[in-house]
Amino acid sequence: MKNRILVLAGVAALIIAATVFAVGQGGPGGPHGGGPGDMMEHMSRALNLTDAQKTQVKAIMDAERAATEPSRGKIEEIHKQIEASVTSGQFDEAQVRALAGQASQIMTDEMVEHVRAHAKIFALLTPEQRAKAQEMHKQMGPGGPHGPGGPGGPGGGMGHHPPPPPPPAQ
């Protein structure tokens, strides 16, 4: 029984951490505290984007942010519901599983939107810029500039973030 509670508490912690990460990626301050504009500036310099490309990339990034904004509120509400189940003393495993499933679907939708935006940006690049973007991605490693293979590396914004692990099986 204690192990089951610890496992579920761990799942809740993963959801909370993923939520904080997701909000940090798209919310004010961005992934490095400098905001989405800093990522755009870095990408612009590193890839030598034209003014037209900069305008198009900004529009794509703004559209992604707008598309994922509603999901941030939903994730926050799910987080509050999970927290309430922990602090109420009336743990309901079925409810927590349902909430975890909802959070997982929302995070999946956010990831699809994120990858869609990056694919659109990649399509705007010249062959030389694409090669440079791929090299930046290799240097960053999976999970971005703080993921394996890329701690502190250049944050070109062309990487992706893997989904959180699924809840453990019973």
Side-chain angles (χ1 to χ4, degrees):
M1 181 66 172
K2 284 184 180 182
N3 285 344
R4 182 176 281 176
I5 291 171
L6 288 174
V7 167
L8 290 171
V11 169
L14 283 173
I15 291 171
I16 293 165
T19 301
V20 170
F21 179 75
V23 170
Q25 288 298 309
H32 299 102
D38 284 352
M39 182 178 72
M40 176 64 192
E41 183 61 32
H42 174 76
M43 185 170 53
S44 174
R45 275 192 315 248
L47 298 178
N48 197 25
L49 297 180
T50 65
D51 288 341
Q53 287 174 315
K54 290 177 194 177
T55 300
Q56 291 172 307
V57 169
K58 183 178 180 335
I60 291 167
M61 292 172 73
D62 289 346
E64 177 197 3
R65 239 183 320 290
T68 58
E69 183 67 32
S71 64
R72 286 188 200 90
K74 291 176 188 174
I75 289 281
E76 189 174 316
E77 181 57 37
I78 289 170
H79 169 263
K80 288 177 183 176
Q81 291 176 32
I82 290 173
E83 186 64 29
S85 76
V86 171
T87 59
S88 72
Q90 301 293 322
F91 178 74
D92 181 348
E93 182 175 336
Q95 179 190 24
V96 172
R97 286 185 175 278
L99 291 168
Q102 290 173 21
S104 176
Q105 183 59 51
I106 292 168
M107 286 185 271
T108 298
D109 293 344
E110 284 184 339
M111 180 175 281
V112 168
E113 191 63 37
H114 181 74
V115 172
R116 179 182 293 124
H118 283 244
K120 288 178 181 178
I121 291 169
F122 198 78
L124 297 173
L125 303 178
T126 66
E128 295 80 18
Q129 291 168 326
R130 287 180 186 163
K132 176 69 175 173
Q134 288 173 327
E135 183 58 35
M136 290 168 60
H137 178 74
K138 286 178 190 175
Q139 289 175 355
M140 284 179 15
H146 298 291
M158 295 303 288
H160 71 281
H161 305 285
Q170 290 292 325

